[in-house]
Amino acid sequence: KRKMASGQQWVLVEMVQAFYEAPAYHLILEGILILWIIRLLFSKTYKLHETYKLTEKEKEDLIEEWQPEPLVPFVSKDHPSLNYDVVTGPPSHNIVINGKECINFASFNFLGLLDNERVKQKALASLKKYGVGTCGPRGFYGTFDVHLELESRLAKFMKTEEAIIYSYGFATIASAIPAYSKRGDIIFVDEAACFSIQKGLQASRSLIKYFKHNDMEDLERLLKEQDMEDHKNPRKARVTRKFIVVEGLYINTADICPLPELVKLKYKYKVRIFLEESMSFGVLGEHGRGVTEHFGISIDEIDLISANMENAVASIGGFCCGRSFVIDHQRLSGQGYCFSASLPPMLAAAAIEALNIMEEDPGIFDLLSEKFHLHYDLYMMIIYHLHYTIILVGVPFAPALHLQLERSSGSRDSDVQLLRALVDYCLERHVALTLAHYLEKEERFLPPPSIRVVVTIEQTEEDIQKAVSCIQEAASAILK
């Protein structure tokens, strides 16, 4: 105890001695720090501001003066999207728009099945048997026998193991992409990909790498760069899935994907191909099976094919087809399949009958192809006579071509107004055309304004000649 007491005294003596020996500036600095610490410990962390009590009148005045921020930006009542051309009756070969009967060059009714009597009778019989809708997703009493029959027929028609149907065409590819590609995976996609593909890419949260439209050299450049990265980090590469997403016939450019080159790149760089065929299904190929049949490529070379049934089949919804283990995964992970009410049975019955017609009469695809080429040739002639003030965009076998201004008038709005004037001119003369519409602020690569001209099997040579002459007159009158 005595030793401990003496030790403590010795430490205290040393501290006092050090205090006297320390420089004055050192003592001043330490004193200031000690005082600052004491102030922080005992001072309040906030100050009470003086409050002013408002009178009732002042409160009412402030409330009356307050203006909330607008929920959405201002849009003029004259905006084209807010002023509809109203259709009465079926949008078949002849369409009644705003009370005026016109030849239809606007609807994607490629095979003329929308108003087909056989299709309507099957839909009517189904309506009487099942009712109007389903009121439930496929997993919650929304699976009807007619849905299973349609899936089986689609798989058989496309020569694949299995097919899955969706009740909304847009949601088909938008649901399929995120069902397979997740965060950390890589998707190589064409810049001209349609909006439904863009939404699927966004939902997947994958790394997106865009290549120039139909530019296989640019795609291979991206694939080579990724291959080099994979060699640097093989552990990460083993768990990273890679996809190429393209359209068979591009709706925004009316041209075809170079599928043979894509298949070569698929095996060279070990990637998967997703093919969106909404514009080519029921249009291209000897039997209407799409781009694979058009190029003579086995459908087994493609990992997933999707298409909607709202064009050539003239129904509603969409489908994906491929190998069974690939398709079954969507039944658990395809959001549009799992959470949307299933396709109304009458529309499934209509689609089955449309497939029956396509299988019974494959000659309709040759006839349709002849119409495409006639249409294309006539438009090329009027473009020459118009001194290329407008240009034709698309391939000769595309069902929907684009007419664009050769030179912009200065702004996108003014270009749209000029093209709208052309459409209105033709509409007054009983030819129904349509502008290609886009969500301008949402599109990843916004296409230029255009008039979309659709060819169907029901249009006669005289109808096509009339439309071509009408467009030529409109362009001569408006694009001076």
PDB file of all heavy atoms in Angstrom, residues 108-111 157 249 277-291 293-294 311-313 358 362 364-366 368-369 372 397-400 455:
ATOM      1  N   PHE A 108     -52.841  -3.680 -89.016  1.00  0.00           N
ATOM      2  CA  PHE A 108     -51.937  -4.812 -89.235  1.00  0.00           C
ATOM      3  C   PHE A 108     -52.699  -6.119 -89.477  1.00  0.00           C
ATOM      4  O   PHE A 108     -52.322  -7.183 -88.979  1.00  0.00           O
ATOM      5  CB  PHE A 108     -51.010  -4.994 -88.037  1.00  0.00           C
ATOM      6  CG  PHE A 108     -49.987  -3.893 -87.881  1.00  0.00           C
ATOM      7  CD1 PHE A 108     -49.388  -3.658 -86.656  1.00  0.00           C
ATOM      8  CD2 PHE A 108     -49.632  -3.102 -88.956  1.00  0.00           C
ATOM      9  CE1 PHE A 108     -48.445  -2.658 -86.507  1.00  0.00           C
ATOM     10  CE2 PHE A 108     -48.686  -2.095 -88.820  1.00  0.00           C
ATOM     11  CZ  PHE A 108     -48.089  -1.867 -87.593  1.00  0.00           C
ATOM     12  N   ASN A 109     -53.749  -6.043 -90.246  1.00  0.00           N
ATOM     13  CA  ASN A 109     -54.589  -7.206 -90.548  1.00  0.00           C
ATOM     14  C   ASN A 109     -54.053  -7.888 -91.805  1.00  0.00           C
ATOM     15  O   ASN A 109     -54.729  -7.997 -92.829  1.00  0.00           O
ATOM     16  CB  ASN A 109     -56.034  -6.726 -90.735  1.00  0.00           C
ATOM     17  CG  ASN A 109     -57.005  -7.854 -90.982  1.00  0.00           C
ATOM     18  OD1 ASN A 109     -56.777  -8.991 -90.566  1.00  0.00           O
ATOM     19  ND2 ASN A 109     -58.092  -7.560 -91.676  1.00  0.00           N
ATOM     20  N   PHE A 110     -52.802  -8.378 -91.732  1.00  0.00           N
ATOM     21  CA  PHE A 110     -52.063  -8.811 -92.915  1.00  0.00           C
ATOM     22  C   PHE A 110     -52.789  -9.887 -93.723  1.00  0.00           C
ATOM     23  O   PHE A 110     -52.811  -9.838 -94.945  1.00  0.00           O
ATOM     24  CB  PHE A 110     -50.675  -9.318 -92.527  1.00  0.00           C
ATOM     25  CG  PHE A 110     -49.855  -8.341 -91.752  1.00  0.00           C
ATOM     26  CD1 PHE A 110     -49.092  -8.749 -90.673  1.00  0.00           C
ATOM     27  CD2 PHE A 110     -49.832  -6.995 -92.101  1.00  0.00           C
ATOM     28  CE1 PHE A 110     -48.331  -7.847 -89.953  1.00  0.00           C
ATOM     29  CE2 PHE A 110     -49.061  -6.085 -91.389  1.00  0.00           C
ATOM     30  CZ  PHE A 110     -48.320  -6.511 -90.303  1.00  0.00           C
ATOM     31  N   LEU A 111     -53.374 -10.875 -93.037  1.00  0.00           N
ATOM     32  CA  LEU A 111     -54.015 -12.001 -93.721  1.00  0.00           C
ATOM     33  C   LEU A 111     -55.520 -11.818 -93.864  1.00  0.00           C
ATOM     34  O   LEU A 111     -56.214 -12.740 -94.319  1.00  0.00           O
ATOM     35  CB  LEU A 111     -53.711 -13.303 -92.976  1.00  0.00           C
ATOM     36  CG  LEU A 111     -52.235 -13.706 -92.900  1.00  0.00           C
ATOM     37  CD1 LEU A 111     -52.050 -14.975 -92.095  1.00  0.00           C
ATOM     38  CD2 LEU A 111     -51.650 -13.875 -94.294  1.00  0.00           C
ATOM     39  N   PHE A 157     -47.441 -25.720 -84.889  1.00  0.00           N
ATOM     40  CA  PHE A 157     -47.298 -24.881 -86.081  1.00  0.00           C
ATOM     41  C   PHE A 157     -45.861 -24.392 -86.233  1.00  0.00           C
ATOM     42  O   PHE A 157     -45.301 -24.379 -87.328  1.00  0.00           O
ATOM     43  CB  PHE A 157     -48.249 -23.688 -85.993  1.00  0.00           C
ATOM     44  CG  PHE A 157     -48.193 -22.764 -87.182  1.00  0.00           C
ATOM     45  CD1 PHE A 157     -48.899 -23.053 -88.337  1.00  0.00           C
ATOM     46  CD2 PHE A 157     -47.431 -21.606 -87.151  1.00  0.00           C
ATOM     47  CE1 PHE A 157     -48.839 -22.216 -89.439  1.00  0.00           C
ATOM     48  CE2 PHE A 157     -47.364 -20.755 -88.240  1.00  0.00           C
ATOM     49  CZ  PHE A 157     -48.074 -21.067 -89.391  1.00  0.00           C
ATOM     50  N   LEU A 249     -38.575  -8.967 -88.270  1.00  0.00           N
ATOM     51  CA  LEU A 249     -38.814  -7.785 -89.097  1.00  0.00           C
ATOM     52  C   LEU A 249     -38.997  -6.615 -88.135  1.00  0.00           C
ATOM     53  O   LEU A 249     -39.874  -6.657 -87.272  1.00  0.00           O
ATOM     54  CB  LEU A 249     -40.072  -7.946 -89.952  1.00  0.00           C
ATOM     55  CG  LEU A 249     -39.927  -8.597 -91.331  1.00  0.00           C
ATOM     56  CD1 LEU A 249     -41.297  -8.804 -91.957  1.00  0.00           C
ATOM     57  CD2 LEU A 249     -39.052  -7.765 -92.245  1.00  0.00           C
ATOM     58  N   GLU A 277     -40.821 -11.812 -83.195  1.00  0.00           N
ATOM     59  CA  GLU A 277     -41.338 -12.004 -84.558  1.00  0.00           C
ATOM     60  C   GLU A 277     -42.757 -11.496 -84.763  1.00  0.00           C
ATOM     61  O   GLU A 277     -43.490 -12.048 -85.585  1.00  0.00           O
ATOM     62  CB  GLU A 277     -41.265 -13.487 -84.919  1.00  0.00           C
ATOM     63  CG  GLU A 277     -39.864 -14.028 -85.077  1.00  0.00           C
ATOM     64  CD  GLU A 277     -39.713 -14.907 -86.298  1.00  0.00           C
ATOM     65  OE1 GLU A 277     -39.960 -14.407 -87.401  1.00  0.00           O
ATOM     66  OE2 GLU A 277     -39.365 -16.080 -86.121  1.00  0.00           O
ATOM     67  N   SER A 278     -43.151 -10.466 -84.070  1.00  0.00           N
ATOM     68  CA  SER A 278     -44.528  -9.987 -84.198  1.00  0.00           C
ATOM     69  C   SER A 278     -44.879  -9.540 -85.612  1.00  0.00           C
ATOM     70  O   SER A 278     -46.016  -9.709 -86.066  1.00  0.00           O
ATOM     71  CB  SER A 278     -44.783  -8.834 -83.215  1.00  0.00           C
ATOM     72  OG  SER A 278     -44.762  -9.308 -81.890  1.00  0.00           O
ATOM     73  N   MET A 279     -43.897  -8.956 -86.330  1.00  0.00           N
ATOM     74  CA  MET A 279     -44.167  -8.478 -87.683  1.00  0.00           C
ATOM     75  C   MET A 279     -43.901  -9.543 -88.753  1.00  0.00           C
ATOM     76  O   MET A 279     -44.357  -9.399 -89.891  1.00  0.00           O
ATOM     77  CB  MET A 279     -43.313  -7.243 -87.990  1.00  0.00           C
ATOM     78  CG  MET A 279     -43.649  -6.035 -87.147  1.00  0.00           C
ATOM     79  SD  MET A 279     -45.323  -5.424 -87.412  1.00  0.00           S
ATOM     80  CE  MET A 279     -45.178  -4.714 -89.043  1.00  0.00           C
ATOM     81  N   SER A 280     -43.198 -10.603 -88.402  1.00  0.00           N
ATOM     82  CA  SER A 280     -42.844 -11.625 -89.399  1.00  0.00           C
ATOM     83  C   SER A 280     -43.633 -12.916 -89.247  1.00  0.00           C
ATOM     84  O   SER A 280     -43.763 -13.687 -90.206  1.00  0.00           O
ATOM     85  CB  SER A 280     -41.342 -11.928 -89.332  1.00  0.00           C
ATOM     86  OG  SER A 280     -40.928 -12.144 -87.992  1.00  0.00           O
ATOM     87  N   PHE A 281     -44.205 -13.177 -88.069  1.00  0.00           N
ATOM     88  CA  PHE A 281     -45.024 -14.373 -87.864  1.00  0.00           C
ATOM     89  C   PHE A 281     -46.311 -14.252 -88.681  1.00  0.00           C
ATOM     90  O   PHE A 281     -47.007 -13.248 -88.631  1.00  0.00           O
ATOM     91  CB  PHE A 281     -45.358 -14.544 -86.381  1.00  0.00           C
ATOM     92  CG  PHE A 281     -46.357 -15.637 -86.104  1.00  0.00           C
ATOM     93  CD1 PHE A 281     -46.007 -16.961 -86.274  1.00  0.00           C
ATOM     94  CD2 PHE A 281     -47.642 -15.327 -85.693  1.00  0.00           C
ATOM     95  CE1 PHE A 281     -46.924 -17.969 -86.025  1.00  0.00           C
ATOM     96  CE2 PHE A 281     -48.566 -16.328 -85.438  1.00  0.00           C
ATOM     97  CZ  PHE A 281     -48.205 -17.652 -85.605  1.00  0.00           C
ATOM     98  N   GLY A 282     -46.611 -15.289 -89.460  1.00  0.00           N
ATOM     99  CA  GLY A 282     -47.791 -15.240 -90.323  1.00  0.00           C
ATOM    100  C   GLY A 282     -47.586 -14.414 -91.573  1.00  0.00           C
ATOM    101  O   GLY A 282     -48.552 -14.117 -92.289  1.00  0.00           O
ATOM    102  N   VAL A 283     -46.336 -14.047 -91.847  1.00  0.00           N
ATOM    103  CA  VAL A 283     -46.027 -13.199 -93.005  1.00  0.00           C
ATOM    104  C   VAL A 283     -44.905 -13.814 -93.845  1.00  0.00           C
ATOM    105  O   VAL A 283     -45.057 -14.039 -95.044  1.00  0.00           O
ATOM    106  CB  VAL A 283     -45.618 -11.771 -92.553  1.00  0.00           C
ATOM    107  CG1 VAL A 283     -45.122 -10.949 -93.728  1.00  0.00           C
ATOM    108  CG2 VAL A 283     -46.794 -11.076 -91.883  1.00  0.00           C
ATOM    109  N   LEU A 284     -43.764 -14.087 -93.214  1.00  0.00           N
ATOM    110  CA  LEU A 284     -42.594 -14.583 -93.947  1.00  0.00           C
ATOM    111  C   LEU A 284     -42.532 -16.109 -93.907  1.00  0.00           C
ATOM    112  O   LEU A 284     -43.029 -16.744 -92.974  1.00  0.00           O
ATOM    113  CB  LEU A 284     -41.311 -14.001 -93.362  1.00  0.00           C
ATOM    114  CG  LEU A 284     -41.108 -12.492 -93.483  1.00  0.00           C
ATOM    115  CD1 LEU A 284     -39.738 -12.103 -92.958  1.00  0.00           C
ATOM    116  CD2 LEU A 284     -41.277 -12.019 -94.915  1.00  0.00           C
ATOM    117  N   GLY A 285     -41.885 -16.658 -94.907  1.00  0.00           N
ATOM    118  CA  GLY A 285     -41.711 -18.107 -94.977  1.00  0.00           C
ATOM    119  C   GLY A 285     -42.795 -18.765 -95.797  1.00  0.00           C
ATOM    120  O   GLY A 285     -43.890 -18.232 -95.984  1.00  0.00           O
ATOM    121  N   GLU A 286     -42.493 -19.962 -96.266  1.00  0.00           N
ATOM    122  CA  GLU A 286     -43.431 -20.703 -97.120  1.00  0.00           C
ATOM    123  C   GLU A 286     -44.737 -20.987 -96.416  1.00  0.00           C
ATOM    124  O   GLU A 286     -45.803 -21.025 -97.037  1.00  0.00           O
ATOM    125  CB  GLU A 286     -42.767 -22.014 -97.573  1.00  0.00           C
ATOM    126  CG  GLU A 286     -43.597 -22.820 -98.558  1.00  0.00           C
ATOM    127  CD  GLU A 286     -42.914 -24.125 -98.960  1.00  0.00           C
ATOM    128  OE1 GLU A 286     -41.755 -24.343 -98.546  1.00  0.00           O
ATOM    129  OE2 GLU A 286     -43.554 -24.912 -99.693  1.00  0.00           O
ATOM    130  N   HIS A 287     -44.681 -21.209 -95.107  1.00  0.00           N
ATOM    131  CA  HIS A 287     -45.881 -21.520 -94.330  1.00  0.00           C
ATOM    132  C   HIS A 287     -46.195 -20.453 -93.282  1.00  0.00           C
ATOM    133  O   HIS A 287     -46.993 -20.683 -92.383  1.00  0.00           O
ATOM    134  CB  HIS A 287     -45.733 -22.878 -93.650  1.00  0.00           C
ATOM    135  CG  HIS A 287     -45.503 -24.008 -94.600  1.00  0.00           C
ATOM    136  ND1 HIS A 287     -44.229 -24.398 -94.995  1.00  0.00           N
ATOM    137  CD2 HIS A 287     -46.371 -24.817 -95.272  1.00  0.00           C
ATOM    138  CE1 HIS A 287     -44.332 -25.412 -95.847  1.00  0.00           C
ATOM    139  NE2 HIS A 287     -45.610 -25.680 -96.036  1.00  0.00           N
ATOM    140  N   GLY A 288     -45.506 -19.303 -93.356  1.00  0.00           N
ATOM    141  CA  GLY A 288     -45.788 -18.211 -92.432  1.00  0.00           C
ATOM    142  C   GLY A 288     -45.153 -18.366 -91.072  1.00  0.00           C
ATOM    143  O   GLY A 288     -45.601 -17.732 -90.105  1.00  0.00           O
ATOM    144  N   ARG A 289     -44.092 -19.188 -90.980  1.00  0.00           N
ATOM    145  CA  ARG A 289     -43.472 -19.424 -89.664  1.00  0.00           C
ATOM    146  C   ARG A 289     -42.460 -18.350 -89.287  1.00  0.00           C
ATOM    147  O   ARG A 289     -41.889 -18.400 -88.211  1.00  0.00           O
ATOM    148  CB  ARG A 289     -42.819 -20.805 -89.635  1.00  0.00           C
ATOM    149  CG  ARG A 289     -43.827 -21.941 -89.746  1.00  0.00           C
ATOM    150  CD  ARG A 289     -43.211 -23.297 -89.432  1.00  0.00           C
ATOM    151  NE  ARG A 289     -44.222 -24.336 -89.556  1.00  0.00           N
ATOM    152  CZ  ARG A 289     -44.392 -25.094 -90.630  1.00  0.00           C
ATOM    153  NH1 ARG A 289     -43.582 -24.932 -91.678  1.00  0.00           N
ATOM    154  NH2 ARG A 289     -45.339 -26.008 -90.677  1.00  0.00           N
ATOM    155  N   GLY A 290     -42.214 -17.411 -90.180  1.00  0.00           N
ATOM    156  CA  GLY A 290     -41.385 -16.276 -89.806  1.00  0.00           C
ATOM    157  C   GLY A 290     -39.994 -16.309 -90.394  1.00  0.00           C
ATOM    158  O   GLY A 290     -39.716 -16.944 -91.409  1.00  0.00           O
ATOM    159  N   VAL A 291     -39.084 -15.611 -89.705  1.00  0.00           N
ATOM    160  CA  VAL A 291     -37.738 -15.375 -90.231  1.00  0.00           C
ATOM    161  C   VAL A 291     -36.919 -16.658 -90.322  1.00  0.00           C
ATOM    162  O   VAL A 291     -36.128 -16.823 -91.258  1.00  0.00           O
ATOM    163  CB  VAL A 291     -37.018 -14.332 -89.337  1.00  0.00           C
ATOM    164  CG1 VAL A 291     -35.567 -14.171 -89.759  1.00  0.00           C
ATOM    165  CG2 VAL A 291     -37.713 -12.990 -89.445  1.00  0.00           C
ATOM    166  N   GLU A 293     -37.932 -19.672 -91.064  1.00  0.00           N
ATOM    167  CA  GLU A 293     -38.341 -20.360 -92.287  1.00  0.00           C
ATOM    168  C   GLU A 293     -37.903 -19.565 -93.520  1.00  0.00           C
ATOM    169  O   GLU A 293     -37.518 -20.149 -94.539  1.00  0.00           O
ATOM    170  CB  GLU A 293     -39.857 -20.556 -92.295  1.00  0.00           C
ATOM    171  CG  GLU A 293     -40.334 -21.462 -93.419  1.00  0.00           C
ATOM    172  CD  GLU A 293     -41.828 -21.742 -93.346  1.00  0.00           C
ATOM    173  OE1 GLU A 293     -42.604 -20.769 -93.227  1.00  0.00           O
ATOM    174  OE2 GLU A 293     -42.212 -22.915 -93.423  1.00  0.00           O
ATOM    175  N   HIS A 294     -37.949 -18.255 -93.435  1.00  0.00           N
ATOM    176  CA  HIS A 294     -37.525 -17.399 -94.548  1.00  0.00           C
ATOM    177  C   HIS A 294     -36.066 -17.660 -94.914  1.00  0.00           C
ATOM    178  O   HIS A 294     -35.714 -17.718 -96.092  1.00  0.00           O
ATOM    179  CB  HIS A 294     -37.721 -15.925 -94.159  1.00  0.00           C
ATOM    180  CG  HIS A 294     -37.205 -14.948 -95.160  1.00  0.00           C
ATOM    181  ND1 HIS A 294     -37.918 -14.584 -96.286  1.00  0.00           N
ATOM    182  CD2 HIS A 294     -36.040 -14.247 -95.215  1.00  0.00           C
ATOM    183  CE1 HIS A 294     -37.208 -13.707 -96.990  1.00  0.00           C
ATOM    184  NE2 HIS A 294     -36.074 -13.483 -96.356  1.00  0.00           N
ATOM    185  N   ASN A 311     -51.526  -9.212 -85.015  1.00  0.00           N
ATOM    186  CA  ASN A 311     -51.278  -8.781 -86.388  1.00  0.00           C
ATOM    187  C   ASN A 311     -51.863  -9.791 -87.364  1.00  0.00           C
ATOM    188  O   ASN A 311     -53.036  -9.732 -87.696  1.00  0.00           O
ATOM    189  CB  ASN A 311     -49.782  -8.570 -86.616  1.00  0.00           C
ATOM    190  CG  ASN A 311     -49.214  -7.471 -85.724  1.00  0.00           C
ATOM    191  OD1 ASN A 311     -49.940  -6.642 -85.196  1.00  0.00           O
ATOM    192  ND2 ASN A 311     -47.906  -7.462 -85.555  1.00  0.00           N
ATOM    193  N   ALA A 312     -51.046 -10.737 -87.811  1.00  0.00           N
ATOM    194  CA  ALA A 312     -51.506 -11.701 -88.813  1.00  0.00           C
ATOM    195  C   ALA A 312     -52.643 -12.576 -88.304  1.00  0.00           C
ATOM    196  O   ALA A 312     -53.580 -12.896 -89.043  1.00  0.00           O
ATOM    197  CB  ALA A 312     -50.341 -12.576 -89.274  1.00  0.00           C
ATOM    198  N   VAL A 313     -52.608 -12.949 -87.031  1.00  0.00           N
ATOM    199  CA  VAL A 313     -53.628 -13.838 -86.472  1.00  0.00           C
ATOM    200  C   VAL A 313     -54.922 -13.079 -86.162  1.00  0.00           C
ATOM    201  O   VAL A 313     -55.985 -13.686 -86.012  1.00  0.00           O
ATOM    202  CB  VAL A 313     -53.081 -14.545 -85.207  1.00  0.00           C
ATOM    203  CG1 VAL A 313     -54.107 -15.450 -84.573  1.00  0.00           C
ATOM    204  CG2 VAL A 313     -51.840 -15.357 -85.570  1.00  0.00           C
ATOM    205  N   MET A 358     -54.426 -20.778 -91.873  1.00  0.00           N
ATOM    206  CA  MET A 358     -53.036 -20.655 -92.329  1.00  0.00           C
ATOM    207  C   MET A 358     -52.471 -22.008 -92.756  1.00  0.00           C
ATOM    208  O   MET A 358     -51.713 -22.102 -93.728  1.00  0.00           O
ATOM    209  CB  MET A 358     -52.182 -20.037 -91.219  1.00  0.00           C
ATOM    210  CG  MET A 358     -52.519 -18.573 -90.945  1.00  0.00           C
ATOM    211  SD  MET A 358     -51.919 -17.967 -89.344  1.00  0.00           S
ATOM    212  CE  MET A 358     -50.147 -18.042 -89.567  1.00  0.00           C
ATOM    213  N   PRO A 362     -51.626 -22.595 -97.408  1.00  0.00           N
ATOM    214  CA  PRO A 362     -50.320 -21.908 -97.358  1.00  0.00           C
ATOM    215  C   PRO A 362     -50.062 -21.010 -98.554  1.00  0.00           C
ATOM    216  O   PRO A 362     -49.142 -20.185 -98.533  1.00  0.00           O
ATOM    217  CB  PRO A 362     -49.309 -23.060 -97.297  1.00  0.00           C
ATOM    218  CG  PRO A 362     -50.028 -24.240 -97.864  1.00  0.00           C
ATOM    219  CD  PRO A 362     -51.474 -24.056 -97.509  1.00  0.00           C
ATOM    220  N   ILE A 364     -51.641 -18.531 -99.373  1.00  0.00           N
ATOM    221  CA  ILE A 364     -51.913 -17.127 -99.040  1.00  0.00           C
ATOM    222  C   ILE A 364     -50.610 -16.356 -98.776  1.00  0.00           C
ATOM    223  O   ILE A 364     -50.558 -15.144 -98.999  1.00  0.00           O
ATOM    224  CB  ILE A 364     -52.845 -17.000 -97.807  1.00  0.00           C
ATOM    225  CG1 ILE A 364     -52.261 -17.711 -96.584  1.00  0.00           C
ATOM    226  CG2 ILE A 364     -54.223 -17.542 -98.119  1.00  0.00           C
ATOM    227  CD1 ILE A 364     -53.103 -17.541 -95.325  1.00  0.00           C
ATOM    228  N   PHE A 365     -49.565 -17.059 -98.365  1.00  0.00           N
ATOM    229  CA  PHE A 365     -48.301 -16.376 -98.083  1.00  0.00           C
ATOM    230  C   PHE A 365     -47.585 -15.964 -99.374  1.00  0.00           C
ATOM    231  O   PHE A 365     -46.943 -14.918 -99.418  1.00  0.00           O
ATOM    232  CB  PHE A 365     -47.418 -17.250 -97.208  1.00  0.00           C
ATOM    233  CG  PHE A 365     -48.072 -17.639 -95.910  1.00  0.00           C
ATOM    234  CD1 PHE A 365     -48.464 -18.949 -95.675  1.00  0.00           C
ATOM    235  CD2 PHE A 365     -48.343 -16.685 -94.936  1.00  0.00           C
ATOM    236  CE1 PHE A 365     -49.091 -19.298 -94.497  1.00  0.00           C
ATOM    237  CE2 PHE A 365     -48.984 -17.030 -93.749  1.00  0.00           C
ATOM    238  CZ  PHE A 365     -49.354 -18.335 -93.530  1.00  0.00           C
ATOM    239  N   ASP A 366     -47.733 -16.784-100.405  1.00  0.00           N
ATOM    240  CA  ASP A 366     -47.188 -16.389-101.714  1.00  0.00           C
ATOM    241  C   ASP A 366     -47.952 -15.199-102.269  1.00  0.00           C
ATOM    242  O   ASP A 366     -47.347 -14.266-102.820  1.00  0.00           O
ATOM    243  CB  ASP A 366     -47.270 -17.563-102.691  1.00  0.00           C
ATOM    244  CG  ASP A 366     -46.339 -18.704-102.317  1.00  0.00           C
ATOM    245  OD1 ASP A 366     -45.281 -18.423-101.709  1.00  0.00           O
ATOM    246  OD2 ASP A 366     -46.664 -19.872-102.614  1.00  0.00           O
ATOM    247  N   LEU A 368     -49.598 -12.964-100.555  1.00  0.00           N
ATOM    248  CA  LEU A 368     -49.252 -11.801 -99.740  1.00  0.00           C
ATOM    249  C   LEU A 368     -47.904 -11.228-100.160  1.00  0.00           C
ATOM    250  O   LEU A 368     -47.737 -10.002-100.262  1.00  0.00           O
ATOM    251  CB  LEU A 368     -49.228 -12.203 -98.263  1.00  0.00           C
ATOM    252  CG  LEU A 368     -49.080 -11.082 -97.234  1.00  0.00           C
ATOM    253  CD1 LEU A 368     -50.231 -10.108 -97.321  1.00  0.00           C
ATOM    254  CD2 LEU A 368     -48.989 -11.655 -95.817  1.00  0.00           C
ATOM    255  N   SER A 369     -46.955 -12.100-100.444  1.00  0.00           N
ATOM    256  CA  SER A 369     -45.631 -11.648-100.877  1.00  0.00           C
ATOM    257  C   SER A 369     -45.711 -10.894-102.203  1.00  0.00           C
ATOM    258  O   SER A 369     -45.022  -9.882-102.394  1.00  0.00           O
ATOM    259  CB  SER A 369     -44.691 -12.850-101.017  1.00  0.00           C
ATOM    260  OG  SER A 369     -43.416 -12.455-101.445  1.00  0.00           O
ATOM    261  N   PHE A 372     -46.824  -7.435-101.490  1.00  0.00           N
ATOM    262  CA  PHE A 372     -45.740  -6.635-100.907  1.00  0.00           C
ATOM    263  C   PHE A 372     -44.845  -6.050-102.001  1.00  0.00           C
ATOM    264  O   PHE A 372     -44.537  -4.853-101.998  1.00  0.00           O
ATOM    265  CB  PHE A 372     -44.873  -7.498 -99.975  1.00  0.00           C
ATOM    266  CG  PHE A 372     -45.566  -7.979 -98.733  1.00  0.00           C
ATOM    267  CD1 PHE A 372     -45.087  -9.085 -98.049  1.00  0.00           C
ATOM    268  CD2 PHE A 372     -46.692  -7.336 -98.248  1.00  0.00           C
ATOM    269  CE1 PHE A 372     -45.707  -9.527 -96.892  1.00  0.00           C
ATOM    270  CE2 PHE A 372     -47.334  -7.782 -97.094  1.00  0.00           C
ATOM    271  CZ  PHE A 372     -46.839  -8.881 -96.430  1.00  0.00           C
ATOM    272  N   PHE A 397     -40.263  -7.131 -99.056  1.00  0.00           N
ATOM    273  CA  PHE A 397     -41.178  -8.147 -98.529  1.00  0.00           C
ATOM    274  C   PHE A 397     -41.694  -7.792 -97.135  1.00  0.00           C
ATOM    275  O   PHE A 397     -42.205  -8.657 -96.419  1.00  0.00           O
ATOM    276  CB  PHE A 397     -40.499  -9.527 -98.506  1.00  0.00           C
ATOM    277  CG  PHE A 397     -39.105  -9.502 -97.950  1.00  0.00           C
ATOM    278  CD1 PHE A 397     -38.879  -9.549 -96.585  1.00  0.00           C
ATOM    279  CD2 PHE A 397     -38.014  -9.426 -98.800  1.00  0.00           C
ATOM    280  CE1 PHE A 397     -37.600  -9.527 -96.072  1.00  0.00           C
ATOM    281  CE2 PHE A 397     -36.715  -9.417 -98.302  1.00  0.00           C
ATOM    282  CZ  PHE A 397     -36.514  -9.467 -96.934  1.00  0.00           C
ATOM    283  N   ALA A 398     -41.572  -6.531 -96.731  1.00  0.00           N
ATOM    284  CA  ALA A 398     -42.097  -6.099 -95.427  1.00  0.00           C
ATOM    285  C   ALA A 398     -43.587  -5.767 -95.551  1.00  0.00           C
ATOM    286  O   ALA A 398     -44.004  -5.151 -96.528  1.00  0.00           O
ATOM    287  CB  ALA A 398     -41.329  -4.886 -94.924  1.00  0.00           C
ATOM    288  N   PRO A 399     -44.401  -6.138 -94.566  1.00  0.00           N
ATOM    289  CA  PRO A 399     -45.840  -5.852 -94.633  1.00  0.00           C
ATOM    290  C   PRO A 399     -46.202  -4.420 -94.275  1.00  0.00           C
ATOM    291  O   PRO A 399     -47.317  -3.984 -94.542  1.00  0.00           O
ATOM    292  CB  PRO A 399     -46.428  -6.824 -93.613  1.00  0.00           C
ATOM    293  CG  PRO A 399     -45.332  -7.002 -92.611  1.00  0.00           C
ATOM    294  CD  PRO A 399     -44.050  -6.928 -93.376  1.00  0.00           C
ATOM    295  N   ALA A 400     -45.296  -3.706 -93.649  1.00  0.00           N
ATOM    296  CA  ALA A 400     -45.565  -2.317 -93.255  1.00  0.00           C
ATOM    297  C   ALA A 400     -44.329  -1.480 -93.553  1.00  0.00           C
ATOM    298  O   ALA A 400     -43.279  -1.655 -92.927  1.00  0.00           O
ATOM    299  CB  ALA A 400     -45.926  -2.234 -91.774  1.00  0.00           C
ATOM    300  N   VAL A 455     -49.687  -3.244 -95.918  1.00  0.00           N
ATOM    301  CA  VAL A 455     -50.223  -4.037 -97.026  1.00  0.00           C
ATOM    302  C   VAL A 455     -50.922  -5.266 -96.450  1.00  0.00           C
ATOM    303  O   VAL A 455     -50.388  -5.918 -95.552  1.00  0.00           O
ATOM    304  CB  VAL A 455     -49.100  -4.494 -97.972  1.00  0.00           C
ATOM    305  CG1 VAL A 455     -49.685  -5.141 -99.224  1.00  0.00           C
ATOM    306  CG2 VAL A 455     -48.211  -3.326 -98.354  1.00  0.00           C
TER     307      VAL A 455
END
